[in-house]
Amino acid sequence: MDCLFCKIINKEIPADIIYEDDHVIAFNDINPQAPTHALIIPRKHISTLNDIKDEDTALVGHMIQTAGKIAKQLGFDETGYRTVFNCNEHGGQTVYHIHLHILGGKPLGWPPYQETLKTPIN
Ligand code: 5GP
Ligand code: ZN
Protein backbone atom coordinates (compact mmCIF):
# COMPACT_ATOMS: atom_id res chain seq x y z
CA MET A 1 0.00 0.00 0.00
CA ASP A 2 1.37 3.38 -0.97
CA CYS A 3 0.81 5.19 2.33
CA LEU A 4 3.31 7.70 3.70
CA PHE A 5 2.48 6.99 7.33
CA CYS A 6 2.62 3.19 6.87
CA LYS A 7 6.12 3.79 5.47
CA ILE A 8 7.02 5.75 8.61
CA ILE A 9 5.65 2.88 10.76
CA ASN A 10 7.70 0.38 8.75
CA LYS A 11 10.80 2.63 9.10
CA GLU A 12 11.06 2.94 5.32
CA ILE A 13 10.91 6.73 5.74
CA PRO A 14 12.62 8.44 8.69
CA ALA A 15 10.67 10.41 11.28
CA ASP A 16 11.48 12.03 14.59
CA ILE A 17 9.62 9.51 16.77
CA ILE A 18 8.73 10.76 20.26
CA TYR A 19 6.57 7.85 21.48
CA GLU A 20 5.77 4.32 20.38
CA ASP A 21 4.06 1.25 21.76
CA ASP A 22 2.39 -1.86 20.32
CA HIS A 23 -0.57 0.08 18.90
CA VAL A 24 0.48 3.64 18.05
CA ILE A 25 3.49 5.74 17.18
CA ALA A 26 3.93 9.51 17.51
CA PHE A 27 6.42 11.69 15.67
CA ASN A 28 7.05 15.38 15.13
CA ASP A 29 5.20 17.04 12.26
CA ILE A 30 7.51 18.06 9.40
CA ASN A 31 5.80 21.49 9.22
CA PRO A 32 5.13 22.44 12.86
CA GLN A 33 2.37 24.94 13.70
CA ALA A 34 3.33 25.25 17.39
CA PRO A 35 6.49 24.74 19.52
CA THR A 36 5.37 21.10 19.78
CA HIS A 37 3.37 19.68 16.90
CA ALA A 38 3.29 15.90 16.73
CA LEU A 39 1.12 13.32 15.03
CA ILE A 40 -0.19 10.22 16.81
CA ILE A 41 -1.02 7.42 14.39
CA PRO A 42 -2.26 3.85 14.77
CA ARG A 43 -0.01 1.09 13.46
CA LYS A 44 -3.15 -0.25 11.77
CA HIS A 45 -3.93 1.53 8.50
CA ILE A 46 -7.30 3.32 8.69
CA SER A 47 -7.81 5.88 5.91
CA THR A 48 -10.22 8.40 7.47
CA LEU A 49 -12.40 8.87 10.55
CA ASN A 50 -15.27 7.55 8.42
CA ASP A 51 -13.52 4.17 8.20
CA ILE A 52 -13.30 3.52 11.96
CA LYS A 53 -15.01 0.19 12.70
CA ASP A 54 -16.52 -1.00 16.00
CA GLU A 55 -13.37 -3.02 16.65
CA ASP A 56 -11.22 0.13 16.31
CA THR A 57 -12.84 2.24 19.04
CA ALA A 58 -10.44 1.14 21.79
CA LEU A 59 -7.54 1.92 19.46
CA VAL A 60 -8.84 5.43 18.81
CA GLY A 61 -9.36 5.92 22.55
CA HIS A 62 -5.77 4.83 23.05
CA MET A 63 -4.64 7.46 20.51
CA ILE A 64 -6.40 10.15 22.56
CA GLN A 65 -5.01 8.84 25.85
CA THR A 66 -1.54 8.88 24.26
CA ALA A 67 -1.94 12.62 23.58
CA GLY A 68 -2.29 13.14 27.33
CA LYS A 69 0.80 11.04 28.03
CA ILE A 70 2.85 12.99 25.49
CA ALA A 71 1.63 16.31 26.91
CA LYS A 72 2.73 15.20 30.37
CA GLN A 73 6.07 13.95 29.01
CA LEU A 74 6.66 17.35 27.37
CA GLY A 75 5.44 19.33 30.39
CA PHE A 76 2.36 21.08 28.94
CA ASP A 77 -0.42 18.83 30.26
CA GLU A 78 -1.37 21.45 32.86
CA THR A 79 -0.93 24.59 30.71
CA GLY A 80 -2.90 22.90 27.94
CA TYR A 81 -2.74 21.83 24.35
CA ARG A 82 -4.93 21.04 21.34
CA THR A 83 -5.74 17.78 19.56
CA VAL A 84 -7.18 17.68 16.04
CA PHE A 85 -8.38 15.02 13.63
CA ASN A 86 -8.88 16.36 10.10
CA CYS A 87 -11.25 14.40 7.86
CA ASN A 88 -11.35 14.49 4.06
CA GLU A 89 -11.03 17.53 1.82
CA HIS A 90 -13.07 20.13 3.72
CA GLY A 91 -11.42 19.05 6.97
CA GLY A 92 -7.99 19.66 5.46
CA GLN A 93 -6.85 16.02 5.49
CA THR A 94 -3.81 15.54 3.27
CA VAL A 95 -2.51 12.16 4.47
CA TYR A 96 -5.07 9.36 4.30
CA HIS A 97 -3.98 7.36 7.35
CA ILE A 98 -5.77 8.71 10.44
CA HIS A 99 -3.62 10.86 12.70
CA LEU A 100 -4.27 12.89 15.81
CA HIS A 101 -2.43 16.21 15.77
CA ILE A 102 -1.19 17.38 19.16
CA LEU A 103 -0.15 21.02 19.39
CA GLY A 104 1.22 22.68 22.49
CA GLY A 105 3.85 24.88 24.04
CA LYS A 106 2.13 28.25 23.52
CA PRO A 107 -1.37 29.73 23.79
CA LEU A 108 -3.29 28.72 20.65
CA GLY A 109 -5.88 30.91 18.91
CA TRP A 110 -9.51 29.86 18.58
CA PRO A 111 -11.31 29.42 16.29
CA PRO A 112 -8.46 28.04 14.18
CA TYR A 113 -9.89 29.24 10.84
CA GLN A 114 -10.43 32.90 11.80
CA GLU A 115 -7.46 34.26 9.88
CA THR A 116 -8.25 32.43 6.65
CA LEU A 117 -12.05 32.63 6.73
CA LYS A 118 -13.10 34.64 3.67
CA THR A 119 -16.77 33.80 3.48
CA PRO A 120 -19.50 33.90 6.13
CA ILE A 121 -19.70 30.80 8.26
CA ASN A 122 -23.08 29.79 6.78
P1 5GP B 1 -3.46 16.54 7.69
O1 5GP B 1 -3.39 17.78 6.85
O2 5GP B 1 -3.69 15.30 6.85
O3 5GP B 1 -4.39 16.62 8.87
O4 5GP B 1 -2.03 16.40 8.37
C1 5GP B 1 -0.94 15.81 7.72
C2 5GP B 1 0.28 16.32 8.44
O5 5GP B 1 1.38 15.51 8.08
C3 5GP B 1 0.65 17.76 8.07
O6 5GP B 1 0.64 18.57 9.24
C4 5GP B 1 2.04 17.62 7.45
O7 5GP B 1 2.90 18.69 7.79
C5 5GP B 1 2.53 16.29 7.99
N1 5GP B 1 3.44 15.59 7.11
C6 5GP B 1 3.29 15.40 5.78
N2 5GP B 1 4.32 14.66 5.29
C7 5GP B 1 5.12 14.37 6.37
C8 5GP B 1 6.35 13.64 6.50
O8 5GP B 1 6.90 13.08 5.55
N3 5GP B 1 6.88 13.57 7.75
C9 5GP B 1 6.29 14.17 8.83
N4 5GP B 1 6.92 14.04 10.00
N5 5GP B 1 5.14 14.86 8.74
C10 5GP B 1 4.56 14.96 7.53
ZN1 ZN C 1 -1.21 3.82 6.19
Side-chain angles (χ1 to χ4, degrees):
M1 192 190 305
D2 196 28
C3 169
L4 177 65
F5 287 174
C6 283
K7 286 181 181 157
I8 287 178
I9 290 162
N10 295 328
K11 309 269 159 76
E12 290 165 35
I13 290 177
D16 184 11
I17 294 171
I18 60 169
Y19 175 90
E20 59 183 321
D21 64 27
D22 288 348
H23 304 290
V24 301
I25 78 166
F27 51 89
N28 287 321
D29 197 292
I30 207 166
N31 182 23
Q33 303 300 314
T36 291
H37 182 178
L39 304 170
I40 301 163
I41 69 172
R43 290 188 187 275
K44 176 181 178 181
H45 180 91
I46 301 170
S47 299
T48 78
L49 288 195
N50 300 334
D51 302 303
I52 294 168
K53 308 293 182 213
D54 288 347
E55 64 263 28
D56 300 323
T57 57
L59 176 60
V60 176
H62 182 65
M63 291 170 71
I64 297 168
Q65 185 186 34
T66 300
K69 285 186 192 166
I70 289 171
K72 193 173 171 80
Q73 186 178 301
L74 296 177
F76 55 71
D77 54 326
E78 294 298 330
T79 48
Y81 56 97
R82 180 166 301 151
T83 55
V84 179
F85 278 110
N86 293 325
C87 184
N88 280 337
E89 190 183 346
H90 284 191
Q93 185 173 8
T94 58
V95 180
Y96 283 77
H97 178 134
I98 61 165
H99 46 281
L100 183 59
H101 294 256
I102 174 167
L103 301 112
K106 70 169 188 184
L108 301 163
W110 188 265
Y113 49 78
Q114 201 158 39
E115 284 152 30
T116 51
L117 192 68
K118 293 194 175 72
T119 51
I121 209 158
N122 296 313

